[in-house]
Amino acid sequence: MGKKVLVVGQGGREHALVWKLALSPEIDKIYAAPGNPGIAELAECVEIGVDEVYKLARFAEEKGIDLTVVGPEAPLMAGIVDIFSEKGLLIFGPASEAARLEGSKVFTKNLLEKYGIPTAAYKTFADADEALNFARKFTEKGQKVVIKADGLAAGKGVVVAESLEEASEAIENIMRKKTLGEAGNQVVIEEFLSGEEVSVFALSDGKDFVVLAAAQDHKQVFDGDKGPNTGGMGAYINPPLYDEVLAEKVKDRIIAPVIEAMRKEGVPYTGVLYAGLMVEDGDPKVLEFNVRFGDPEAQVILPMIKGDIFPLFFKIAEGTLGDFKVEMEEGSCVCVVLASGGYPGSYEKGKTITGIDKLNPDTMIFHAGTALKEGKLVTNGGRVLNVVCRGKDIKESVDKVYKEVEKISFEGMHYRRDIGYKALLREGLN
Ligand code: AMP
Ligand code: GLY
C-alpha cells in the first residue's frame, strides 16, 4: 500500500521537501502542517502550527502516517521526535537532547573540545564580568572577538565585536538586560576566525551517515554581503571552495567524529546535520551546527538528490541506513529569494504576485511567505518566493535564474542580484 507522509513546516524549505517527496512512487498521500499555497498544490495542508507538537502526534496517529519529516528547528527543540517516538510513530529528525547541537552553543563547544573536533578557541561564562575579562584578552591584542548567546536567538545571538566597547555592549545586552531572554543565561566567547564560510549537509541515523553536499548561503540583505542579516537571500550548491580534498577533511575531521561523539555521549544524532564551517587555508573549523536543512539551502540540495528520497528518509528515521548510497546530480543549482519591501525589517503583506505562470517549465518555484486572497496569490511574509534553476555549471544556472526572476513581480519586491558571486569569482567567470 502507498505510504502516507506528514511534512511539518510552512516555508520554502518545506515546499522543496514536499516537492521532492511527491516524486516518490512509494508515497500516495502527503499532508503538510500548516503548509502554504505552493505546498497545497502537492499536499493536503492541515491547520496545525509547527509548535503544536501533541496535536501533530494525534494527527499522525489518526491518519496512520508512515513517516513525519520535520523542517524547522523549533518543534525539534520542543521534543516532537521524543513525543512521536513514545507513540511508536516514525519521524525524521533528532530527539530534543540531540537537538542541543543547535539549541545550546555551550553544549556544542564543550562537545567539540572534548572530542578534539576543530573549532575556534573559546570559553563559556555564566558571569558577565568574567566574560568581559576574557573578551579583553582578544581586544587588547587588537583582535576581534565573537560573543554568542548560548540558546536559540533567531539569528540575533552572535556578535562579532571589533573593540572592547562593542564586546561590553553585547555582553551587557545578552547577559544583564537579557534582550534574548533565557538564551542569554550563558555565553560563549571565542576567537574570530577569518576565511570563507561553507555549509555542509549530512544525514545520519545515529550510527552511519551520508554527506549530501555543500552549499553557500547569502545571509546579508544587500549585494556584496552588505546590510543586516536575513534568514538567507539565496544559495547555490557545490561551491568551488568545497573540492574533494576539503570534502574528505570535513567528513573525517568533523562529520564522522561528531556522529561518533554524540553516540558515545548517549545522545545518538539522527536527521539532518548541517555544519556551518569556516575554511581558512583549506582547513575547516566548526562555527555552528544546525539540526535541520538550511532555508534556502534545502531548495538547492533537494532537487539535486538523485532518485527517490523516501527510502533514504525512512532508513534514517528507522536507524537502518547501513551503507546506503546517495547519488547527487551533476551540475549546479541556484536559488534566489524574492523578499518583501522592508525585509528583514518591517514590511507590508497582501501584495499581488504576478508572473509565476510565465516561468519556464523546468524552473522550480518554492513558496515561502505567500497566501491566497480571493483566489489571488499575495505576499504574506518577509521571504516570499524562491526561484530555483539548474544548469551545467554555476554560470549557466545563475544566468537562467535571473532571467526567470525578472518575470515575477509584486509591489516592493527586492532580491540580491549577486547570488553565486563568490563561486563565479573563484572560477574567474564574473
Ligand atoms: P553562528 O550562529 O555561530 O554560525 O554564527 C553566525 C555567523 O556569525 C556565522 O555564520 C559567521 O558569519 C559569524 N561567526 C560566528 N562565529 C564566528 C567566528 N568565530 N569567527 C568569525 N565569524 C564568526
Ligand atoms: N540559511 C540559514 C539557515 O537556514 O539557518
Side-chain angles (χ1 to χ4, degrees):
M1 209 177 74
K3 303 286 190 206
K4 291 181 198 157
V5 173
L6 167 65
V7 174
V8 177
Q10 59 193 326
R13 166 182 50 207
E14 289 75 23
H15 190 176
L17 280 166
V18 168
W19 173 85
K20 184 66 186 166
L21 286 163
L23 299 171
S24 170
E26 286 195 50
I27 298 175
D28 68 11
K29 177 84 185 174
I30 304 177
Y31 295 94
N36 66 36
I39 292 174
E41 290 172 15
L42 302 165
E44 183 176 332
C45 293
V46 289
E47 279 182 38
I48 308 177
V50 299
D51 291 328
E52 296 180 276
V53 287
Y54 287 98
K55 235 176 161 177
L56 289 166
R58 273 201 301 280
F59 177 82
E61 250 178 343
E62 275 164 29
K63 296 287 180 188
I65 300 290
D66 297 289
L67 177 69
T68 298
V69 178
V70 185
E73 63 279 16
L76 295 170
M77 313 285 161
I80 189 170
V81 172
D82 315 54
I83 294 159
F84 272 59
S85 303
E86 267 168 36
K87 289 178 180 280
L89 295 162
L90 205 59
I91 183 162
F92 175 91
S96 58
E97 286 271 292
R100 280 190 299 164
L101 268 187
E102 176 166 354
S104 169
K105 295 202 188 279
V106 170
F107 169 81
T108 299
K109 293 293 290 193
N110 290 341
L111 185 91
L112 293 172
E113 183 176 56
K114 179 169 171 188
Y115 290 89
I117 300 166
T119 190
Y122 78 102
K123 276 195 174 161
T124 68
F125 298 93
D127 179 276
D129 293 326
E130 288 175 19
L132 189 61
N133 275 334
F134 187 64
R136 186 178 283 119
K137 293 194 170 50
F138 295 92
T139 56
E140 269 174 358
K141 290 185 270 179
Q143 295 169 355
K144 296 180 198 170
V145 62
V146 185
I147 292 110
K148 299 184 171 185
D150 174 44
L152 276 191
K156 298 190 179 70
V158 176
V159 176
V160 177
E162 309 238 355
S163 63
L164 190 64
E165 290 65 43
E166 283 179 26
S168 168
E169 193 188 330
I171 292 168
E172 191 66 26
N173 285 338
I174 295 171
M175 300 192 82
R176 290 221 170 88
K177 294 190 186 146
K178 288 274 154 62
T179 49
L180 304 169
E182 300 283 295
N185 287 352
Q186 290 186 79
V187 290
V188 171
I189 308 282
E190 70 179 28
E191 82 180 300
F192 176 81
L193 299 175
S194 42
E196 194 173 333
E197 284 183 54
V198 62
S199 304
V200 176
F201 294 85
L203 305 179
S204 175
D205 69 347
K207 191 160 129 298
D208 296 300
F209 68 89
V210 286
V211 178
L212 293 177
Q216 236 165 10
D217 187 12
H218 299 61
K219 285 187 177 132
Q220 290 88 353
V221 67
F222 300 128
D223 288 4
D225 296 330
K226 303 266 171 13
N229 272 349
T230 69
M233 294 298 287
Y236 60 99
I237 193 170
N238 301 335
L241 166 76
Y242 187 76
D243 58 13
E244 273 174 33
V245 177
L246 179 60
E248 245 351 77
K249 286 183 189 169
V250 170
K251 184 158 80 78
D252 295 344
R253 297 182 191 173
I254 293 166
I255 308 292
V258 168
I259 303 292
E260 178 67 6
M262 291 295 277
R263 213 169 53 79
K264 283 198 180 140
E265 293 292 309
V267 280
Y269 188 85
T270 63
V272 182
L273 181 66
Y274 160 169
L277 308 174
M278 186 68 88
V279 182
E280 190 177 28
D281 300 330
D283 284 325
K285 286 187 178 168
V286 176
L287 289 175
E288 63 162 349
F289 289 114
N290 294 309
V291 298
R292 51 178 173 81
F293 277 112
D295 184 340
E297 292 94 323
Q299 290 88 309
V300 296
I301 289 179
L302 292 163
M304 297 293 276
I305 298 176
K306 256 193 197 166
D308 189 357
I309 206 175
F310 179 75
L312 173 63
F313 281 11
F314 198 85
K315 280 174 183 293
I316 296 278
E318 238 187 2
T320 56
L321 184 65
D323 60 1
F324 190 89
K325 295 274 176 296
V326 181
E327 279 186 70
M328 302 298 289
E329 301 282 356
E330 298 279 315
S332 174
C333 187
V334 175
C335 171
V336 175
V337 172
L338 308 182
S340 291
Y343 174 80
S346 60
Y347 52 84
E348 288 177 18
K349 296 181 180 177
K351 309 291 181 194
T352 305
I353 300 167
T354 58
I356 292 186
D357 52 334
K358 299 197 182 69
L359 296 178
N360 290 340
D362 62 349
T363 297
M364 292 162 273
I365 182 102
F366 297 123
H367 292 224
T370 67
L372 282 174
K373 201 168 101 189
E374 290 152 14
K376 278 202 182 127
L377 193 66
V378 298
T379 66
N380 194 42
R383 293 191 291 174
V384 178
L385 290 168
N386 303 264
V387 187
V388 178
C389 285
R390 283 180 54 185
K392 67 176 186 323
D393 54 27
I394 174 87
K395 173 98 173 71
E396 187 177 287
S397 22
V398 164
D399 288 347
K400 263 191 185 171
V401 82
Y402 281 110
K403 283 204 185 92
E404 294 293 277
V405 162
E406 279 173 19
K407 298 176 183 171
I408 299 176
S409 74
F410 53 84
E411 195 188 312
M413 174 176 118
H414 71 96
Y415 58 90
R416 275 184 64 161
R417 285 155 212 272
D418 66 346
I419 301 303
Y421 81 96
K422 280 187 195 151
L424 294 171
L425 270 179
R426 216 171 249 276
E427 299 197 332
L429 287 171
N430 76 324

